[in-house]
């Protein structure tokens, strides 16, 4: 057993070294910069400022007290709310729709292989390409979405889906759900393929309806796989950047934590402030993931 463990660590060593070089070191540098006043124009001229980028108190000569920093920045907390709301809604919809698609693809019918391959096309399209494609489709002047809705009588005037504060988040959710539902369906379908057919057949012979078979047999057996799929999808959703950056640029109603960090890092020349936002982004995602694993009593080591 000790020899097998040593062999496993030997095989993992190159991956761990590369991961530490390309991810670990930049991450540690980002944390360090968040405690300085670093500027992108001259990183070497940085000075240590402690927690000022996170929270600071400024006392004016008049006696007035001003609070500054990321923890009291309403734009940051709006970005946190946008990100969490997007993640919860998108992951929930994708899980439900992915379950429906996976159950349909798990049934036997002619051409099932072709349908399984075709359903993955939205997921296979790069996010930048799909975001640009949907941006054209959702355009209020020549977009096909408005044309179809107008012809069906569902709307009475063209809607600026990606520009309006009322519909921008809806547009982002529609595109993300369309693109990522096949990913959830693929993971759930893999779990369904591993189910022992004998258990399902016995339940049917006992007179269980299709809903009862799904509720009391199928769902409990695939629950661990579904929860792992939700973790992976939630991590992606909480880091959302490219879809929002392309589809709804400069929109406060959809600005995510990643977009906020990027703006401060490179566009506003507030490198230290953006580093602090990146660090808090990591901490928020980490805490939410740990909370999900704890609440769901999920084991990631292959145990029960």
């Amino acid at each position: 057993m000790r020899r097998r463990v040593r062999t496993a660590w030997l095989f993992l060593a190159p991956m761990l070294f590369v991961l530490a070089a390309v991810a670990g070191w930049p991450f540690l540098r980002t944390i360090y910069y968040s405690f300085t006043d670093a500027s992108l124009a001259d990183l070497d001229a940085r000075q240590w400022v402690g927690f000022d980028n996170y929270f600071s108190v400024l006392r004016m000569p008049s006696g007035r007290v001003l609070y500054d920093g990321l923890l009291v920045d309403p734009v940051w907390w709006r970005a946190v709310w946008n990100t969490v709301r997007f993640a919860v809604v998108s992951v929930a919809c994708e899980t439900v729709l992915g379950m429906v698609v996976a159950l349909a693809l798990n049934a036997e019918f002619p051409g099932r292989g072709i349908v399984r391959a075709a359903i993955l096309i939205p997921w296979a399209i790069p996010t930048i390409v799909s975001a640009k494609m949907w941006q054209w489709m959702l355009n209020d002047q020549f977009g096909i979405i408005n044309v179809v809705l107008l012809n069906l009588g569902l709307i009475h005037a063209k809607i600026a889906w990606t520009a309006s504060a009322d519909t921008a988040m809806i547009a982002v959710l529609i595109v993300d759900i369309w693109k990522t539902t096949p990913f959830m369906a693929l993971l759930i379908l893999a779990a369904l393929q591993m189910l022992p057919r004998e258990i399902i057949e016995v339940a049917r012979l006992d007179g269980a309806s299709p809903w009862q078979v799904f509720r009391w047999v199928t769902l409990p057996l695939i629950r661990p796989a579904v929860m792992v799929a939700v973790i992976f999808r939630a991590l992606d959703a909480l880091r959302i950047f490219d879809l929002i950056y392309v589809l709804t640029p400069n929109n406060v109603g959809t600005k995510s934590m990643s977009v906020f960090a990027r703006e401060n890092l490179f566009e506003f020349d507030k490198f230290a402030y953006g580093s602090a936002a990146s660090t808090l982004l990591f901490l928020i995602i980490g805490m939410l993931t740990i909370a999900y694993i704890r609440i769901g009593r999920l084991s990631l080591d292959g145990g029960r």
Side-chain angles (χ1 to χ4, degrees):
M1 179 60 68
R2 286 195 297 269
R3 184 168 60 253
R4 292 177 63 184
V5 171
R6 287 196 300 268
T7 303
W9 279 109
L10 181 64
F11 282 120
L12 288 174
M15 182 273 295
L16 294 176
F17 175 78
V18 173
L19 189 62
V22 302
W25 175 244
F27 173 66
L28 293 177
R29 293 286 288 178
T30 300
I31 296 177
Y32 167 73
Y33 283 132
S34 70
F35 293 103
T36 68
D37 61 352
S39 171
L40 192 60
D42 189 2
L43 291 177
D44 294 332
R46 61 187 179 272
Q47 298 291 330
W48 183 267
V49 297
F51 286 92
D52 286 356
N53 289 313
Y54 297 95
F55 182 77
S56 62
V57 180
L58 179 62
R59 299 185 181 277
M60 305 295 291
S62 61
R64 183 183 178 187
V65 179
L66 299 178
Y67 300 98
D68 193 19
L70 200 61
L71 294 179
V72 294
D73 189 342
V75 180
W76 163 253
W77 288 113
R78 177 67 182 271
V80 173
W81 164 245
N82 289 338
T83 307
V84 174
R85 179 179 56 166
F86 167 83
V88 171
V89 176
S90 63
V91 173
C93 293
E94 290 159 8
T95 302
V96 174
L97 294 176
M99 180 72 71
V100 173
V101 173
L103 290 172
L105 295 179
N106 193 47
E108 295 183 2
F109 57 88
R112 182 175 62 172
I114 298 176
V115 176
R116 285 181 176 180
I119 202 70
L120 293 176
I121 292 177
W123 180 52
I125 298 176
T127 304
I128 298 296
V129 177
S130 60
K132 202 64 181 178
M133 177 184 69
W134 275 91
Q135 188 180 47
W136 292 335
M137 294 172 60
L138 293 169
N139 188 275
D140 58 326
Q141 297 299 321
F142 53 80
I144 191 175
I145 301 298
N146 279 323
V147 174
V148 172
L149 294 178
L150 283 171
N151 291 334
L152 293 176
L154 298 178
I155 60 176
H156 301 289
K158 293 182 177 180
I159 301 175
W161 293 95
T162 59
S164 173
D166 298 327
T167 58
M169 181 59 76
I170 297 175
V172 172
L173 286 169
I174 290 174
V175 178
D176 187 76
I177 292 171
W178 170 83
K179 177 175 174 54
T180 319
T181 294
F183 171 75
M184 297 295 291
L186 180 65
L187 296 182
I188 297 174
L189 178 62
L192 291 173
Q193 293 288 297
M194 299 298 294
L195 291 181
R197 298 292 180 181
E198 297 79 7
I199 297 178
I200 297 177
E201 293 298 330
V202 168
R204 291 174 177 172
L205 290 175
D206 285 342
S209 64
W211 167 251
Q212 290 175 325
V213 172
F214 171 76
R215 174 65 181 83
W216 301 109
V217 179
T218 304
L219 190 58
L221 290 176
I222 66 173
R223 175 180 172 273
V226 172
M227 295 190 67
V228 172
V230 169
I231 284 182
F232 284 122
R233 180 63 201 111
L235 289 175
D236 265 347
L238 290 169
R239 300 195 310 265
I240 184 68
F241 170 79
D242 43 6
L243 181 61
I244 292 176
Y245 189 76
V246 174
L247 199 60
T248 59
N250 302 320
N251 194 317
V252 179
T254 60
K255 182 181 296 185
S256 65
M257 292 185 285
S258 297
V259 174
F260 178 92
R262 193 261 180 194
E263 287 180 344
N264 284 275
L265 281 167
F266 303 111
E267 294 182 9
F268 302 158
D269 194 22
K270 300 169 65 176
F271 194 81
Y273 201 70
S275 298
S278 301
T279 303
L280 280 186
L281 169 62
F282 168 77
L283 293 176
I284 291 173
I285 292 178
M287 289 187 295
L288 290 177
T289 303
I290 293 173
Y292 175 82
I293 294 174
R294 293 288 187 182
I295 294 174
R297 298 180 180 178
L298 181 63
S299 175
L300 299 179
D301 61 1
R304 294 180 60 85

